[in-house]
Every structure is written in C-alpha cells, then in structure tokens.
Amino acid sequence: QLQASGGGLVEAGGSLRVACVASGRFPLYVMGWFRQAPGKEREFVAAINYSGSNTVYTDSVKGRFTISKNNAKNTVYLQMSSLQPEDTAVYYCAARWNSMSTSRTDYTYWGQGTLVTVSS
C-alpha cells in the first residue's frame, strides 16, 4: 500500500517536496513517480532502484527534480525545484519488483496521488 502526500499550491519558480510512504517489502521495490495533468495521459517522471544507487528521470525534469528514498522510513521523495505551470498535475507514486522501468504498465502498486498546482 502506498500513501502519497505533500502536494499543494506553489508559485512558478518555487519548490515543493512530495513523499510516498509504503508498506510491505519496501526496500526491495523499485519506486517511481508519475504525473497526470488534466486531459492528459499519466506520464513517467522519475524512478529509483531498491538501494537508491540508480535513478532515472524524464527529460523535462532533469536538473530540477530529485528522487530519493529512505528505506528505514519506507519513504520515497520527489524534491521539485524551479517549478513551472506545466508541472501542474496529480503526482502518483508507484512500486514494482526487479528492474527499473519508465513504463506505467510495468508498475504493480499505486498510491492515490497528490495534487501539485503551480501558478504563473
């Protein structure tokens, strides 16, 4: 079970951190963040492997977003900086076993989402 939190309203250029707490065998999961803007499909944002040693990002957030995890707290974070109105979306955390993936269909477990709104 995944529980996301930390969304909110922020001005363009600002920062925000969203978090996702997981139950179960969290340290073994690959964790991902996806987002879905109104009227658009859910898209990959970032992923991190079970140890935290490997990360991958979609091009549009590279250099602005950082994914990290704390296995002792069963929590994965997405630190977002230099936010822009186009980053406005519901952000979902997801988990899967085994290898890293950027594909939405590869993830088994999903959180409920947290809304991030960036005002211009």
Side-chain angles (χ1 to χ4, degrees):
Q1 189 172 11
L2 305 177
Q3 183 73 33
S5 63
L9 175 64
V10 62
E11 293 185 350
S15 298
L16 196 66
R17 187 178 78 165
V18 293
C20 176
V21 180
S23 59
R25 303 177 71 180
F26 175 80
L28 300 181
Y29 293 155
V30 169
M31 299 298 300
W33 284 99
F34 291 76
R35 66 186 180 186
Q36 187 166 16
K40 295 187 177 181
E41 292 190 355
R42 193 171 301 186
E43 65 173 358
F44 171 78
V45 176
I48 189 167
N49 69 339
Y50 70 98
S51 68
S53 62
N54 188 21
T55 58
V56 61
Y57 299 90
T58 192
D59 286 346
S60 64
V61 308
K62 285 180 181 177
R64 301 189 299 124
F65 290 12
T66 302
I67 188 171
S68 62
K69 64 183 320 201
N70 184 330
N71 285 340
K73 295 184 177 181
N74 281 12
T75 303
V76 61
Y77 305 96
L78 185 68
Q79 177 69 49
M80 303 179 287
S81 302
S82 300
L83 283 160
Q84 300 301 316
E86 53 264 35
D87 295 315
T88 294
V90 177
Y91 283 72
Y92 297 89
C93 60
R96 71 184 303 270
W97 295 95
N98 300 319
S99 59
M100 298 275 276
S101 174
T102 63
S103 174
R104 172 172 55 88
T105 58
D106 285 343
Y107 285 78
T108 305
Y109 308 104
W110 289 86
Q112 86 289 0
T114 185
L115 176 62
V116 173
T117 303
V118 184
S119 63
S120 58

